[in-house]
Amino acid sequence: MNKFGIEGGYFSLNGKKVFLNSGEIHYFRIKRELWEEHLKKAKEAGLKTISSYVPWVWHEVNEGEFDFSGTTQPERDLIGWIELCQKHGFTCIVKPGPFILAEYRGAGLPDWFLEKYGDTIKMHNSKGEAVLSDGVSLFNPVFLSKVEQWYNHVMPIISQKQVQNGGPIIMMQVCNEIGVFSWLAHQADYNEQVKEQFISFIKTRYSTIDELNTLWESNYTSFQEIELPPDGNTPYKSKGDRSRDYEWHCFWRKYYANYLRLLSSWIRKHNISIPLYHNLPGWIYGHGYEFPLNITMYEDLYEDKSELIFGVDHIPEFVSYRNLHDDRIINDIVSAMQGEKPLFAAEFQSGSREYHVVTNPREMELFYKASIANGLKGWNYYMFSQGKNPPAKGYSGDTFYWFTPLDNQAKPSSAFPVVQKMSRFIETHEELILTTKRKAEVCVLFYSPYYATELERPEVGASELKFVPARIRRSAYFDGLLKALQVLNVDYDMVDLASSSVNDLLAYKQVWLFSTDEMNAPDQQTIASFVTNGGNLVIFPYLPDREMNQKPCTVLRDTFKIKSSQPEIIDSPLIKLYNLTDIKCSNPLIAYTTEGIDGATPIAFTLRGSICGFEKNVGKGKVVHLGTWLGFDTEGHLQAYTTILERSKAQLANASSTNNFITVRQKFNDTSESLLFVGNYYNENQSGKITYKHPKTNERVQLPLIDGEIEIPPLYAFISPISKEIGKGINILHTTSDVIGINSNNNIITIHLTGDPGLIGEMVLEGINISKIKSAEISEKPIMLIWHNNRIVLNYLHSNKEIVLTLKMLDK
């Protein structure tokens, strides 16, 4: 019996760790007679898995009339599609909704259902009006009844065809992006079931109505009198108003979780045992800064609270220096929140859903390699095959996706060779990709309440906040601190503050915390205990003075013995920080008196000479506080971040570059091997010297090894195995080529390579048996063996085609 599962943060097939290399092909958008041709091309591209939605609207043609065998239309033959995938050696991922979205009109819900029940099941606003959206009230009994009937028909097929029963289906998506409707419309659902559930939720949060009234500044006599917060753009009226809104956001996190738990329980009743996942959106026209908001919607399902894993939508649309940091941050946040579950890109861009957004295969290849460096354990090319919508079903007309590796007739595009290349790269280095991890001595904390804002209303001062997280989190945190760390090539880990322990944080030599006025007491206590027990903390731009529900809380201020602070507004503010002058910052600046910081050492001053930052020993540890935020707008900001980082004595990077426009990253496994990513996100050549750590000896190794600098072409990256054995006693130390195949036989080692023609090829070999290498050839032409400190250096030219390096050994 075959088995597919999740073990220790990896996907596993029959007990072996695997990288999930999948492509999305929609059988319902491709003519039946072309199915086989698409699958043949997918096999040629090196894919192992095929993913598809299973649209409810497509298979329940009329109410109560189901077609899974193609009786009414050949393209409805779901059973035939699954069996054809298996015939061609593929495993399958199925996504039976009920919501599929996928630019399908009605988001996958049947037309007859929406026509008959639409007014009843739609989301409604606070005025009782149906919202113009594909979203529905998820716990509406009519909706749930019809979903359960849909599941009762489709799940037996999936159960029969799952891998444990001899079929190809290895994984299933549970619904799709359910929080997206409220997020995009900035609109909650105000149906009666929602109000009832909200009141029940609040009863679990407050022991008495008086306790609630104190925080909400209300005068309810019972919980049943509770009113829902207003929707739209009504500004907050008071702290109490904001307190209620915080609970409103917390409720939705429980609401979505309960909905997905319900669907999961229905699935499991059909004896389906394959892994389940839910998909998360977040990229907005090339940027991922809103993704953290989307994952916080599901925080009630994090870690061991649910069996679900989260699939990430990685749809950057373009790749450049402007967004070089986004995918890493998204991956890091997902890993921090979901715990020991594999990082999977469920929608991994290989085409464009909008015709005016023309994807570039070169940019996509850079993105794919960066995603490996940033920890993905699997991906699903979305879309691998273009589709044609059934009449009047496509949100964008008759065509679904453009610039895909295959068009709807199964003809390859310029994106096809990139998928082929990445498949061969994964196959060659699968274990190394899966087992290597980042080594970091610096940690950045993620605090999910700062992103619980999909329904947040305007803050005009009534809540008396110095810093509103939603206003500054992108500039101060996402595109500020985190981008600067990326540009500086700092190795850091992302940790979820709310689920971390003091011991977790003490493993790092420096911890950074973006903090505003609000932070819950347990989380303040974790940070306070971390510092007093020897931790090194950098916190900006504020020391919180209340919890998220607006209850006063000064745990951190009390621990650090900070007595008072005042905001200071300065036009075009600049600060002096340590020995740096005229560092751009932002208003308000939080000013302290000497007495107010109780013996701390001032480290930052405003243009008026006020103290706006200090360094202080607290217990066994130290806190560095900056009462403003810097962002990342100038080279002075890089100097400022570097100055603070270097005071930690932490090792900031395992791999580094003499040029900040060259991004480098190194990951290690437990068997003295590593992977080195070297990339240029800039749109012109960049030159520099790369230094990395030898995974066995800790030697600092340079690339190029001997002299000079490496010149990286625009929008290009390579991933080199470090200290990878290719023959007995012969290792690749590093290479500037992508190694996509290794064969060793009869004293001959052949290595299949690709690389950009603008990048000089260098491969360095080491090991106890390299003296047995007699000669080397590139595509049957001899190249020189250059000996350097008991290593062999091979230099060669890349071309637009694959090249083959042949090493011939001395006869035994």
Side-chain angles (χ1 to χ4, degrees), residues 86 97 150 158 229 308 364 376 398 426-427 434 442 470 474 494 517 544 552 596 606 674 679 690 721 744 802:
Q86 186 169 24
W150 160 241
I158 295 171
L308 286 172
M364 290 299 100
L376 282 189
D398 68 340
I426 291 167
E427 192 167 350
L434 293 173
V442 175
R474 179 183 179 185
M494 181 80 72
D517 305 54
T606 71
S674 73
I690 310 301
S744 181
E802 178 183 331

Side-chain angles (χ1 to χ4, degrees), residues 366 661-665 677-682 712-713 716-718:
L366 168 58
F661 286 116
I662 297 177
T663 299
V664 294
R665 196 158 305 122
F677 170 88
V678 180
N680 173 17
Y681 288 83
Y682 207 65
I712 312 293
Y716 186 76
F718 63 86

Side-chain angles (χ1 to χ4, degrees), residues 43-164:
K43 180 66 70 174
E44 187 180 329
L47 300 182
K48 304 295 184 184
T49 304
I50 301 298
S51 170
S52 179
Y53 290 107
V54 181
W56 179 10
V57 60
W58 188 238
H59 291 286
E60 190 173 2
V61 184
N62 297 301
E63 187 171 7
E65 298 177 9
F66 295 87
D67 181 3
F68 297 105
S69 59
T71 303
T72 59
Q73 189 168 330
E75 290 76 28
R76 290 196 172 101
D77 187 6
L78 171 65
I79 297 171
W81 167 254
I82 295 170
E83 291 176 349
L84 192 61
C85 288
Q86 186 169 24
K87 172 187 171 182
H88 285 276
F90 292 107
T91 53
C92 293
I93 297 170
V94 291
K95 306 188 289 187
F99 281 107
I100 68 166
L101 282 75
E103 285 68 60
Y104 209 96
R105 293 185 65 245
L109 304 187
D111 296 342
W112 58 261
F113 175 67
L114 294 173
E115 289 168 5
K116 186 174 182 179
Y117 302 106
D119 289 342
T120 301
I121 55 92
K122 282 282 188 181
M123 293 170 55
H124 285 70
N125 62 25
S126 59
K127 297 177 182 178
E129 302 164 336
V131 175
L132 187 61
S133 163
D134 288 328
V136 305
S137 193
L138 296 177
F139 284 93
N140 179 283
V142 175
F143 172 69
L144 289 179
S145 173
K146 294 302 179 182
V147 170
E148 188 172 21
Q149 290 179 41
W150 160 241
Y151 272 20
N152 287 341
H153 284 81
V154 72
M155 292 303 163
I157 296 171
I158 295 171
S159 178
Q160 181 186 6
K161 297 296 183 181
Q162 66 184 323
V163 67
Q164 288 87 337

Side-chain angles (χ1 to χ4, degrees), residues 182 188-190 194 201 247-257 297 454-455:
S182 288
D189 178 22
Y190 287 82
V194 172
F201 171 78
E247 301 294 359
W248 185 227
H249 283 92
C250 290
F251 161 74
W252 284 104
R253 278 130 190 81
K254 178 70 74 171
Y255 181 92
Y256 293 140
M297 293 185 193
E454 70 275 9
L455 303 172

Side-chain angles (χ1 to χ4, degrees), residues 521-565:
D523 306 315
Q524 288 197 43
Q525 187 58 59
T526 296
I527 294 300
S529 298
F530 160 67
V531 175
T532 56
N533 281 279
N536 184 337
L537 176 71
V538 180
I539 181 171
F540 73 99
Y542 199 71
L543 298 175
D545 54 27
R546 65 187 81 178
E547 296 192 71
M548 299 302 303
N549 64 6
Q550 307 306 299
K551 182 179 181 180
C553 179
T554 56
V555 171
L556 283 179
R557 288 175 172 259
D558 295 343
T559 300
F560 302 158
K561 296 182 179 179
I562 304 304
K563 299 172 184 175
S564 62
S565 61

Side-chain angles (χ1 to χ4, degrees), residues 371-402:
S371 294
I372 288 175
N374 292 330
L376 282 189
K377 300 297 189 294
W379 59 42
N380 177 49
Y381 291 107
Y382 196 91
M383 293 287 297
F384 180 74
S385 291
Q386 185 186 48
K388 286 289 185 178
N389 289 307
K393 296 298 183 186
Y395 177 82
S396 303
D398 68 340
T399 303
F400 179 70
Y401 261 69
W402 294 269

Side-chain angles (χ1 to χ4, degrees), residues 441-443 481 484-485 488 490 509-513 536-541 575-580 583-584 603-604 612-615 622-631 636-652:
E441 295 184 355
V442 175
C443 170
L481 169 66
L485 294 179
L488 290 168
V490 173
K509 292 187 177 178
Q510 190 175 63
V511 172
W512 289 68
L513 174 59
N536 184 337
L537 176 71
V538 180
I539 181 171
F540 73 99
I575 60 170
K576 178 182 177 182
L577 175 65
Y578 292 112
N579 62 334
L580 305 173
I583 301 298
K584 181 183 175 183
I603 62 167
C612 70
F614 58 80
E615 189 173 87
K622 183 177 75 172
V623 59
V624 172
H625 169 57
L626 193 60
T628 182
W629 56 270
L630 305 179
H637 288 151
L638 289 181
Q639 295 171 345
Y641 290 121
T642 300
T643 299
I644 298 173
L645 285 160
E646 288 178 343
R647 295 182 72 83
S648 70
K649 310 297 183 186
Q651 177 181 282
L652 301 182

